[in-house]
Amino acid sequence: MRKQIVAGNWKMNNDLKQTQTLISELKNQVQTSMAEVMIAPTFTNLVGACDALQNSEIEVIAQNMHFAENGAYTGEVSATMLKSIGVNTVILGHSERRAYFNENDELLAKKVDAALAKNMRIIFCFGEELQDRNSGHHEAVVERQIKKALFHLSGEAWGSIVLAYEPVWAIGTGETASPDQAQDMHAFIRKTLAEEHGQDLANNVSILYGGSVKPANANEIFSKADVDGGLIGGAALNAEHFFDIVNAF
Ligand code: PEP
């Protein structure tokens, strides 16, 4: 069964005190929601966030991980380490990781396999750049990204994959894909998945939209048939805005 999900990606924001403050504000806002709610604080604040949100409806997730289990990878964190503190979901393939840390499809396939080997759920991000959309290549780019990183997976593994379509030109720019542009791309992604793995599997994969989602536009975007929720950056740093988006379902 595909789920509705709203996940907040805090990126490299919020020190310890700011994290504690935002989490207590989120706890005040939380109500029973139709959507699963997740937040992704920085690595340094994951343990504290897990403690503070124990027995809460909000899941704490990670923004990234390395593909190796341990070893000489200075500055990196593994799936085993995340699992050991109670983090069971990881964001992989965010466009900022692709752009600033040279993460490519091949590396992401290795990270996907490593996360799945440890029974982690993955929010897998991908999306085209502005020049791809302007030249009409947006579908081809997205198809390549998901095929190269994910299409080697078995049907069973897809139960642990959440897709997040995030057009790069809409991330942090204030420019959002129109609800119709989001729907068209999500329908294309589902069709591509169905061609490879069958309609049943495709119908059961949640596809989130990310890119300048705000309380003012969330409802219209989430009302589209193939949009199952959102990955939220900037607006996730404000508890009230974040829950206005969650409640847009
Ligand atoms: C993101 O970083 O995944 C994102 C969607 O950011 P924003 O909502 O700020 O565009």
Side-chain angles (χ1 to χ4, degrees):
M1 248 295 273
R2 89 190 193 226
K3 299 186 178 106
Q4 295 175 320
I5 297 170
V6 178
N9 174 16
W10 290 10
K11 312 192 186 192
M12 198 173 74
N13 292 298
N14 291 334
D15 63 15
L16 174 61
K17 196 138 188 75
Q18 292 164 326
T19 298
Q20 289 166 338
T21 304
L22 183 49
I23 286 179
S24 55
E25 289 168 1
L26 289 170
K27 280 165 99 174
N28 288 336
Q29 298 272 338
V30 77
Q31 309 153 3
T32 307
S33 157
M34 285 174 64
E36 277 188 49
V37 182
M38 305 173 182
I39 57 164
T42 58
F43 282 138
T44 53
N45 289 307
L46 284 177
V47 173
C50 286
D51 284 350
L53 290 168
Q54 247 178 27
N55 308 320
S56 114
E57 307 238 336
I58 303 174
E59 181 184 350
V60 177
I61 69 173
Q63 297 177 19
N64 181 34
M65 53 162 259
H66 195 268
F67 60 80
E69 182 150 2
N70 49 48
Y73 296 101
T74 301
E76 294 290 333
V77 168
S78 72
T80 309
M81 291 164 189
L82 294 173
K83 293 280 290 191
S84 74
I85 60 164
V87 170
N88 297 306
T89 302
V90 62
I91 298 171
L92 293 178
H94 193 280
S95 65
E96 288 150 17
R97 302 281 331 160
R98 293 176 191 259
Y100 308 141
F101 302 96
N102 300 321
E103 296 200 1
N104 59 26
D105 299 325
E106 290 71 27
L107 175 78
L108 290 168
K110 284 166 90 170
K111 290 191 177 203
V112 164
D113 290 344
L116 291 174
K118 295 295 169 195
N119 296 320
M120 292 193 79
R121 180 158 62 158
I122 297 163
I123 298 183
F124 187 80
C125 306
F126 52 90
E128 82 282 2
E129 301 200 25
L130 189 57
Q131 71 257 28
D132 303 320
R133 182 156 283 267
N134 287 342
S135 62
H137 291 117
H138 46 295
E139 289 185 347
V141 167
V142 160
E143 187 173 352
R144 189 210 74 223
Q145 289 172 324
I146 54 176
K147 282 196 166 166
K148 285 212 166 164
L150 300 173
F151 272 27
H152 61 289
L153 299 179
S154 69
E156 197 193 334
W158 276 93
S160 301
I161 304 289
V162 172
L163 298 177
Y165 167 58
E166 299 205 302
V168 178
W169 48 272
I171 296 181
T173 58
E175 190 166 343
T176 321
S178 71
D180 286 339
Q181 282 175 321
Q183 169 56 27
D184 287 351
M185 182 58 93
H186 285 219
F188 170 76
I189 293 162
R190 216 179 287 287
K191 178 172 86 52
T192 307
L193 256 179
E195 281 163 7
E196 183 74 14
H197 290 292
Q199 195 64 52
D200 275 1
L201 183 144
N203 286 344
N204 282 320
V205 174
S206 299
I207 309 177
L208 315 184
Y209 169 78
S212 299
V213 177
K214 308 253 174 305
N217 58 25
N219 182 274
E220 214 190 331
I221 295 172
F222 293 170
S223 69
K224 293 294 176 184
D226 286 294
V227 178
D228 303 308
L231 184 56
I232 319 299
L237 298 174
N238 177 299
E240 207 178 306
H241 292 177
F242 185 57
F243 270 94
D244 282 347
I245 292 170
V246 171
N247 293 329
F249 273 112

